mmCIF file of all heavy atoms in Angstrom:
data_model
loop_
_atom_site.group_PDB
_atom_site.id
_atom_site.type_symbol
_atom_site.label_atom_id
_atom_site.label_comp_id
_atom_site.label_asym_id
_atom_site.label_seq_id
_atom_site.Cartn_x
_atom_site.Cartn_y
_atom_site.Cartn_z
ATOM 1 N N PRO W 20 0.808 -1.245 0.008
ATOM 2 C CA PRO W 20 0.083 0.030 -0.007
ATOM 3 C C PRO W 20 0.871 1.268 0.001
ATOM 4 O O PRO W 20 2.005 1.186 0.392
ATOM 5 C CB PRO W 20 -0.803 -0.107 1.290
ATOM 6 C CG PRO W 20 -0.736 -1.531 1.724
ATOM 7 C CD PRO W 20 0.605 -1.997 1.218
ATOM 8 N N ALA W 21 0.354 2.296 -0.428
ATOM 9 C CA ALA W 21 1.083 3.646 -0.449
ATOM 10 C C ALA W 21 1.487 3.959 0.944
ATOM 11 O O ALA W 21 0.664 3.764 1.900
ATOM 12 C CB ALA W 21 0.245 4.746 -1.131
ATOM 13 N N GLY W 22 2.639 4.538 1.122
ATOM 14 C CA GLY W 22 3.180 4.901 2.481
ATOM 15 C C GLY W 22 4.643 4.972 2.549
ATOM 16 O O GLY W 22 5.396 4.701 1.531
ATOM 17 N N ALA W 23 5.113 5.167 3.765
ATOM 18 C CA ALA W 23 6.602 5.212 4.051
ATOM 19 C C ALA W 23 7.052 3.833 4.578
ATOM 20 O O ALA W 23 6.493 3.280 5.382
ATOM 21 C CB ALA W 23 6.947 6.263 4.965
ATOM 22 N N TYR W 24 8.248 3.364 4.032
ATOM 23 C CA TYR W 24 8.843 2.022 4.422
ATOM 24 C C TYR W 24 10.298 2.191 4.623
ATOM 25 O O TYR W 24 10.965 3.118 4.268
ATOM 26 C CB TYR W 24 8.452 0.974 3.439
ATOM 27 C CG TYR W 24 7.021 0.761 3.299
ATOM 28 C CD1 TYR W 24 6.277 1.446 2.264
ATOM 29 C CD2 TYR W 24 6.337 -0.201 3.988
ATOM 30 C CE1 TYR W 24 4.902 1.166 2.104
ATOM 31 C CE2 TYR W 24 4.960 -0.481 3.868
ATOM 32 C CZ TYR W 24 4.285 0.253 2.890
ATOM 33 O OH TYR W 24 2.937 -0.053 2.760
ATOM 34 N N PHE W 25 10.851 1.143 5.176
ATOM 35 C CA PHE W 25 12.292 0.931 5.271
ATOM 36 C C PHE W 25 12.536 -0.548 4.853
ATOM 37 O O PHE W 25 11.730 -1.379 5.032
ATOM 38 C CB PHE W 25 12.863 1.023 6.779
ATOM 39 C CG PHE W 25 12.596 2.392 7.349
ATOM 40 C CD1 PHE W 25 11.336 2.700 7.842
ATOM 41 C CD2 PHE W 25 13.557 3.383 7.309
ATOM 42 C CE1 PHE W 25 11.184 3.948 8.464
ATOM 43 C CE2 PHE W 25 13.383 4.584 7.873
ATOM 44 C CZ PHE W 25 12.093 4.926 8.432
ATOM 45 N N TRP W 26 13.776 -0.734 4.182
ATOM 46 C CA TRP W 26 14.177 -2.099 3.840
ATOM 47 C C TRP W 26 15.544 -2.279 4.243
ATOM 48 O O TRP W 26 16.418 -1.461 4.391
ATOM 49 C CB TRP W 26 13.964 -2.281 2.319
ATOM 50 C CG TRP W 26 14.907 -1.673 1.370
ATOM 51 C CD1 TRP W 26 14.840 -0.354 0.915
ATOM 52 C CD2 TRP W 26 15.863 -2.331 0.713
ATOM 53 N NE1 TRP W 26 15.860 -0.238 -0.018
ATOM 54 C CE2 TRP W 26 16.507 -1.374 -0.138
ATOM 55 C CE3 TRP W 26 16.370 -3.647 0.690
ATOM 56 C CZ2 TRP W 26 17.545 -1.684 -1.019
ATOM 57 C CZ3 TRP W 26 17.527 -3.912 -0.163
ATOM 58 C CH2 TRP W 26 18.076 -2.987 -0.936
ATOM 59 N N PHE W 27 15.743 -3.633 4.628
ATOM 60 C CA PHE W 27 17.087 -4.087 4.998
ATOM 61 C C PHE W 27 17.552 -5.307 4.223
ATOM 62 O O PHE W 27 16.683 -6.052 3.724
ATOM 63 C CB PHE W 27 16.954 -4.547 6.543
ATOM 64 C CG PHE W 27 16.330 -3.528 7.428
ATOM 65 C CD1 PHE W 27 14.925 -3.458 7.494
ATOM 66 C CD2 PHE W 27 17.140 -2.764 8.355
ATOM 67 C CE1 PHE W 27 14.326 -2.595 8.410
ATOM 68 C CE2 PHE W 27 16.443 -1.918 9.230
ATOM 69 C CZ PHE W 27 15.173 -1.808 9.235
ATOM 70 N N LEU W 28 18.774 -5.506 4.255
ATOM 71 C CA LEU W 28 19.363 -6.748 3.724
ATOM 72 C C LEU W 28 20.138 -7.459 4.775
ATOM 73 O O LEU W 28 20.923 -6.827 5.511
ATOM 74 C CB LEU W 28 20.389 -6.399 2.525
ATOM 75 C CG LEU W 28 21.320 -7.638 2.165
ATOM 76 C CD1 LEU W 28 20.458 -8.646 1.457
ATOM 77 C CD2 LEU W 28 22.400 -7.144 1.174
ATOM 78 N N THR W 29 19.841 -8.643 5.065
ATOM 79 C CA THR W 29 20.574 -9.545 5.960
ATOM 80 C C THR W 29 21.262 -10.689 5.129
ATOM 81 O O THR W 29 20.641 -11.189 4.228
ATOM 82 C CB THR W 29 19.730 -10.134 7.107
ATOM 83 O OG1 THR W 29 18.693 -10.937 6.539
ATOM 84 C CG2 THR W 29 19.064 -8.981 7.896
ATOM 85 N N TYR W 30 22.356 -11.234 5.629
ATOM 86 C CA TYR W 30 23.056 -12.174 4.980
ATOM 87 C C TYR W 30 24.195 -12.774 6.051
ATOM 88 O O TYR W 30 24.353 -12.085 7.021
ATOM 89 C CB TYR W 30 23.786 -11.922 3.713
ATOM 90 C CG TYR W 30 24.854 -10.834 3.791
ATOM 91 C CD1 TYR W 30 26.120 -11.152 3.957
ATOM 92 C CD2 TYR W 30 24.553 -9.448 3.747
ATOM 93 C CE1 TYR W 30 27.198 -10.223 4.026
ATOM 94 C CE2 TYR W 30 25.514 -8.512 3.881
ATOM 95 C CZ TYR W 30 26.832 -8.883 3.978
ATOM 96 O OH TYR W 30 27.731 -7.950 4.100
ATOM 97 N N ALA W 31 24.698 -13.963 5.732
ATOM 98 C CA ALA W 31 25.695 -14.528 6.591
ATOM 99 C C ALA W 31 27.095 -14.354 5.885
ATOM 100 O O ALA W 31 27.259 -14.705 4.696
ATOM 101 C CB ALA W 31 25.483 -15.939 6.902
ATOM 102 N N ASP W 32 28.127 -13.831 6.593
ATOM 103 C CA ASP W 32 29.332 -13.651 5.988
ATOM 104 C C ASP W 32 30.091 -15.006 6.114
ATOM 105 O O ASP W 32 29.591 -15.990 6.701
ATOM 106 C CB ASP W 32 30.190 -12.508 6.621
ATOM 107 C CG ASP W 32 30.535 -12.756 8.057
ATOM 108 O OD1 ASP W 32 30.406 -13.901 8.484
ATOM 109 O OD2 ASP W 32 31.078 -11.775 8.706
ATOM 110 N N PRO W 33 31.336 -15.168 5.603
ATOM 111 C CA PRO W 33 32.046 -16.338 5.564
ATOM 112 C C PRO W 33 32.262 -16.975 7.031
ATOM 113 O O PRO W 33 32.457 -18.129 7.180
ATOM 114 C CB PRO W 33 33.376 -16.070 4.992
ATOM 115 C CG PRO W 33 33.079 -14.940 4.043
ATOM 116 C CD PRO W 33 32.094 -14.188 4.802
ATOM 117 N N THR W 34 32.184 -16.129 8.058
ATOM 118 C CA THR W 34 32.397 -16.617 9.384
ATOM 119 C C THR W 34 31.193 -17.131 9.974
ATOM 120 O O THR W 34 31.052 -17.587 11.118
ATOM 121 C CB THR W 34 33.050 -15.545 10.251
ATOM 122 O OG1 THR W 34 32.078 -14.524 10.505
ATOM 123 C CG2 THR W 34 34.268 -15.020 9.688
ATOM 124 N N GLY W 35 30.021 -16.963 9.318
ATOM 125 C CA GLY W 35 28.695 -17.314 9.796
ATOM 126 C C GLY W 35 28.008 -16.241 10.610
ATOM 127 O O GLY W 35 26.985 -16.321 11.089
ATOM 128 N N THR W 36 28.616 -14.924 10.655
ATOM 129 C CA THR W 36 28.082 -13.806 11.252
ATOM 130 C C THR W 36 26.992 -13.173 10.510
ATOM 131 O O THR W 36 27.121 -13.017 9.309
ATOM 132 C CB THR W 36 29.221 -12.798 11.664
ATOM 133 O OG1 THR W 36 30.216 -13.376 12.318
ATOM 134 C CG2 THR W 36 28.590 -11.591 12.376
ATOM 135 N N THR W 37 25.828 -12.920 11.207
ATOM 136 C CA THR W 37 24.791 -12.272 10.526
ATOM 137 C C THR W 37 25.132 -10.761 10.352
ATOM 138 O O THR W 37 25.463 -10.037 11.184
ATOM 139 C CB THR W 37 23.409 -12.276 11.328
ATOM 140 O OG1 THR W 37 23.166 -13.667 11.440
ATOM 141 C CG2 THR W 37 22.314 -11.555 10.656
ATOM 142 N N VAL W 38 24.994 -10.388 9.147
ATOM 143 C CA VAL W 38 25.262 -8.935 8.695
ATOM 144 C C VAL W 38 23.987 -8.272 8.260
ATOM 145 O O VAL W 38 23.182 -8.869 7.535
ATOM 146 C CB VAL W 38 26.270 -8.913 7.505
ATOM 147 C CG1 VAL W 38 26.647 -7.479 7.160
ATOM 148 C CG2 VAL W 38 27.519 -9.705 7.823
ATOM 149 N N VAL W 39 23.816 -7.073 8.675
ATOM 150 C CA VAL W 39 22.616 -6.242 8.412
ATOM 151 C C VAL W 39 23.060 -5.017 7.664
ATOM 152 O O VAL W 39 23.875 -4.240 8.084
ATOM 153 C CB VAL W 39 21.775 -5.839 9.688
ATOM 154 C CG1 VAL W 39 20.571 -5.119 9.270
ATOM 155 C CG2 VAL W 39 21.548 -6.996 10.519
ATOM 156 N N ALA W 40 22.427 -4.847 6.471
ATOM 157 C CA ALA W 40 22.701 -3.677 5.648
ATOM 158 C C ALA W 40 21.380 -2.852 5.602
ATOM 159 O O ALA W 40 20.326 -3.376 5.228
ATOM 160 C CB ALA W 40 23.168 -4.075 4.262
ATOM 161 N N GLY W 41 21.544 -1.609 6.028
ATOM 162 C CA GLY W 41 20.236 -0.785 6.012
ATOM 163 C C GLY W 41 20.173 -0.098 7.376
ATOM 164 O O GLY W 41 21.133 -0.252 8.181
ATOM 165 N N PRO W 42 19.078 0.507 7.713
ATOM 166 C CA PRO W 42 17.878 0.534 6.891
ATOM 167 C C PRO W 42 17.897 1.654 5.817
ATOM 168 O O PRO W 42 18.618 2.633 5.833
ATOM 169 C CB PRO W 42 16.752 0.965 7.980
ATOM 170 C CG PRO W 42 17.450 1.780 8.894
ATOM 171 C CD PRO W 42 18.862 1.229 9.005
ATOM 172 N N TYR W 43 17.159 1.312 4.709
ATOM 173 C CA TYR W 43 16.995 2.257 3.583
ATOM 174 C C TYR W 43 15.607 2.780 3.527
ATOM 175 O O TYR W 43 14.638 1.903 3.197
ATOM 176 C CB TYR W 43 17.462 1.586 2.237
ATOM 177 C CG TYR W 43 18.655 0.816 2.390
ATOM 178 C CD1 TYR W 43 18.652 -0.553 2.155
ATOM 179 C CD2 TYR W 43 19.937 1.412 2.628
ATOM 180 C CE1 TYR W 43 19.902 -1.262 2.230
ATOM 181 C CE2 TYR W 43 21.102 0.685 2.694
ATOM 182 C CZ TYR W 43 21.080 -0.591 2.486
ATOM 183 O OH TYR W 43 22.275 -1.379 2.509
ATOM 184 N N PRO W 44 15.369 4.127 3.757
ATOM 185 C CA PRO W 44 13.963 4.594 3.620
ATOM 186 C C PRO W 44 13.515 4.744 2.216
ATOM 187 O O PRO W 44 14.336 5.094 1.392
ATOM 188 C CB PRO W 44 14.009 5.904 4.373
ATOM 189 C CG PRO W 44 15.475 6.310 4.254
ATOM 190 C CD PRO W 44 16.334 5.109 4.233
ATOM 191 N N PHE W 45 12.226 4.407 1.960
ATOM 192 C CA PHE W 45 11.701 4.636 0.610
ATOM 193 C C PHE W 45 10.196 4.868 0.798
ATOM 194 O O PHE W 45 9.590 4.445 1.862
ATOM 195 C CB PHE W 45 12.008 3.459 -0.364
ATOM 196 C CG PHE W 45 11.218 2.166 -0.069
ATOM 197 C CD1 PHE W 45 10.147 1.842 -0.806
ATOM 198 C CD2 PHE W 45 11.741 1.338 0.979
ATOM 199 C CE1 PHE W 45 9.535 0.669 -0.553
ATOM 200 C CE2 PHE W 45 11.117 0.135 1.188
ATOM 201 C CZ PHE W 45 9.931 -0.169 0.519
ATOM 202 N N THR W 46 9.591 5.422 -0.251
ATOM 203 C CA THR W 46 8.177 5.676 -0.189
ATOM 204 C C THR W 46 7.444 5.097 -1.412
ATOM 205 O O THR W 46 7.967 5.077 -2.502
ATOM 206 C CB THR W 46 7.943 7.198 -0.274
ATOM 207 O OG1 THR W 46 8.648 7.890 0.821
ATOM 208 C CG2 THR W 46 6.518 7.549 -0.174
ATOM 209 N N VAL W 47 6.358 4.395 -1.008
ATOM 210 C CA VAL W 47 5.554 3.782 -2.073
ATOM 211 C C VAL W 47 4.455 4.773 -2.460
ATOM 212 O O VAL W 47 3.745 5.275 -1.582
ATOM 213 C CB VAL W 47 4.922 2.446 -1.575
ATOM 214 C CG1 VAL W 47 3.875 1.917 -2.613
ATOM 215 C CG2 VAL W 47 5.979 1.455 -1.373
ATOM 216 N N VAL W 48 4.371 5.159 -3.716
ATOM 217 C CA VAL W 48 3.409 6.114 -4.251
ATOM 218 C C VAL W 48 2.268 5.309 -4.892
ATOM 219 O O VAL W 48 2.504 4.442 -5.702
ATOM 220 C CB VAL W 48 4.047 7.047 -5.340
ATOM 221 C CG1 VAL W 48 3.004 8.076 -5.841
ATOM 222 C CG2 VAL W 48 5.238 7.732 -4.637
ATOM 223 N N ALA W 49 1.037 5.739 -4.560
ATOM 224 C CA ALA W 49 -0.168 5.142 -5.083
ATOM 225 C C ALA W 49 -0.216 5.397 -6.622
ATOM 226 O O ALA W 49 0.002 6.504 -7.081
ATOM 227 C CB ALA W 49 -1.447 5.617 -4.369
ATOM 228 N N PRO W 50 -0.510 4.357 -7.408
ATOM 229 C CA PRO W 50 -0.594 4.510 -8.852
ATOM 230 C C PRO W 50 -1.813 5.412 -9.216
ATOM 231 O O PRO W 50 -2.854 5.330 -8.432
ATOM 232 C CB PRO W 50 -0.769 3.116 -9.364
ATOM 233 C CG PRO W 50 -1.273 2.327 -8.270
ATOM 234 C CD PRO W 50 -0.726 2.923 -6.988
ATOM 235 N N THR W 51 -1.828 6.082 -10.311
ATOM 236 C CA THR W 51 -2.902 6.891 -10.733
ATOM 237 C C THR W 51 -3.568 6.240 -12.011
ATOM 238 O O THR W 51 -2.871 5.585 -12.791
ATOM 239 C CB THR W 51 -2.383 8.280 -11.192
ATOM 240 O OG1 THR W 51 -1.407 8.170 -12.166
ATOM 241 C CG2 THR W 51 -1.827 8.953 -9.911
ATOM 242 N N ARG W 52 -4.823 6.313 -11.917
ATOM 243 C CA ARG W 52 -5.631 5.732 -13.027
ATOM 244 C C ARG W 52 -5.309 6.287 -14.332
ATOM 245 O O ARG W 52 -5.301 7.543 -14.492
ATOM 246 C CB ARG W 52 -7.177 5.916 -12.735
ATOM 247 C CG ARG W 52 -8.114 5.175 -13.609
ATOM 248 C CD ARG W 52 -9.489 5.467 -13.217
ATOM 249 N NE ARG W 52 -10.529 4.648 -13.947
ATOM 250 C CZ ARG W 52 -11.059 3.533 -13.542
ATOM 251 N NH1 ARG W 52 -10.600 3.011 -12.276
ATOM 252 N NH2 ARG W 52 -11.955 2.879 -14.252
ATOM 253 N N PRO W 53 -5.015 5.427 -15.388
ATOM 254 C CA PRO W 53 -4.674 5.976 -16.636
ATOM 255 C C PRO W 53 -5.786 6.717 -17.305
ATOM 256 O O PRO W 53 -6.949 6.425 -17.078
ATOM 257 C CB PRO W 53 -4.338 4.748 -17.442
ATOM 258 C CG PRO W 53 -4.063 3.695 -16.551
ATOM 259 C CD PRO W 53 -4.861 4.004 -15.300
ATOM 260 N N THR W 54 -5.513 7.797 -18.063
ATOM 261 C CA THR W 54 -6.569 8.612 -18.700
ATOM 262 C C THR W 54 -6.535 8.140 -20.185
ATOM 263 O O THR W 54 -5.561 7.554 -20.698
ATOM 264 C CB THR W 54 -6.302 10.120 -18.652
ATOM 265 O OG1 THR W 54 -4.979 10.344 -19.225
ATOM 266 C CG2 THR W 54 -6.248 10.584 -17.151
ATOM 267 N N GLY W 55 -7.603 8.402 -20.879
ATOM 268 C CA GLY W 55 -7.762 8.173 -22.267
ATOM 269 C C GLY W 55 -8.095 6.657 -22.534
ATOM 270 O O GLY W 55 -7.861 6.138 -23.624
ATOM 271 N N VAL W 56 -8.754 5.961 -21.566
ATOM 272 C CA VAL W 56 -9.220 4.679 -21.775
ATOM 273 C C VAL W 56 -10.729 4.609 -21.779
ATOM 274 O O VAL W 56 -11.406 5.039 -20.908
ATOM 275 C CB VAL W 56 -8.700 3.754 -20.576
ATOM 276 C CG1 VAL W 56 -9.283 2.319 -20.797
ATOM 277 C CG2 VAL W 56 -7.137 3.779 -20.485
ATOM 278 N N PHE W 57 -11.276 4.145 -22.911
ATOM 279 C CA PHE W 57 -12.714 3.959 -23.063
ATOM 280 C C PHE W 57 -13.081 3.054 -24.236
ATOM 281 O O PHE W 57 -12.256 2.898 -25.134
ATOM 282 C CB PHE W 57 -13.389 5.340 -23.278
ATOM 283 C CG PHE W 57 -12.817 6.113 -24.391
ATOM 284 C CD1 PHE W 57 -13.311 6.006 -25.664
ATOM 285 C CD2 PHE W 57 -11.847 7.079 -24.133
ATOM 286 C CE1 PHE W 57 -12.814 6.757 -26.756
ATOM 287 C CE2 PHE W 57 -11.317 7.839 -25.248
ATOM 288 C CZ PHE W 57 -11.866 7.614 -26.510
ATOM 289 N N ALA W 58 -14.164 2.409 -23.935
ATOM 290 C CA ALA W 58 -14.745 1.565 -25.102
ATOM 291 C C ALA W 58 -15.315 2.433 -26.202
ATOM 292 O O ALA W 58 -15.882 3.438 -26.016
ATOM 293 C CB ALA W 58 -15.807 0.528 -24.499
ATOM 294 N N VAL W 59 -15.093 1.943 -27.429
ATOM 295 C CA VAL W 59 -15.538 2.689 -28.613
ATOM 296 C C VAL W 59 -16.802 2.042 -29.266
ATOM 297 O O VAL W 59 -17.913 2.616 -29.355
ATOM 298 C CB VAL W 59 -14.449 2.859 -29.675
ATOM 299 C CG1 VAL W 59 -14.903 3.569 -30.931
ATOM 300 C CG2 VAL W 59 -13.286 3.608 -29.033
ATOM 301 N N SER W 60 -16.646 0.749 -29.632
ATOM 302 C CA SER W 60 -17.843 0.124 -30.322
ATOM 303 C C SER W 60 -17.622 -1.427 -30.066
ATOM 304 O O SER W 60 -16.490 -1.829 -29.871
ATOM 305 C CB SER W 60 -17.912 0.466 -31.768
ATOM 306 O OG SER W 60 -16.840 -0.105 -32.459
ATOM 307 N N PRO W 61 -18.717 -2.184 -30.171
ATOM 308 C CA PRO W 61 -20.091 -1.666 -30.357
ATOM 309 C C PRO W 61 -20.611 -1.021 -29.225
ATOM 310 O O PRO W 61 -20.168 -1.168 -28.076
ATOM 311 C CB PRO W 61 -20.879 -3.013 -30.645
ATOM 312 C CG PRO W 61 -20.012 -4.041 -29.878
ATOM 313 C CD PRO W 61 -18.565 -3.632 -30.005
#
C-alpha cells in the first residue's frame, strides 16, 4: 500500500556472522488511473 517504508538486507558472511545492511527509507506512491481509456464500439 502507499506509504513510508524501510528495507534491510541480511546475510551471513564467511564466518557465519549475521550482517545487516540498512535501513534504507523509501516511499511507495499510489498509482494513478490512466486517462484516455474507453470503449468505442459496439
Side-chain angles (χ1 to χ4, degrees):
Y24 296 91
F25 298 85
W26 72 281
F27 308 79
L28 167 67
T29 62
Y30 62 93
D32 69 11
T34 69
T36 301
T37 297
V38 182
V39 182
Y43 311 119
F45 70 102
T46 301
V47 172
V48 178
T51 56
R52 189 181 185 92
T54 59
V56 179
F57 52 89
V59 177
S60 68

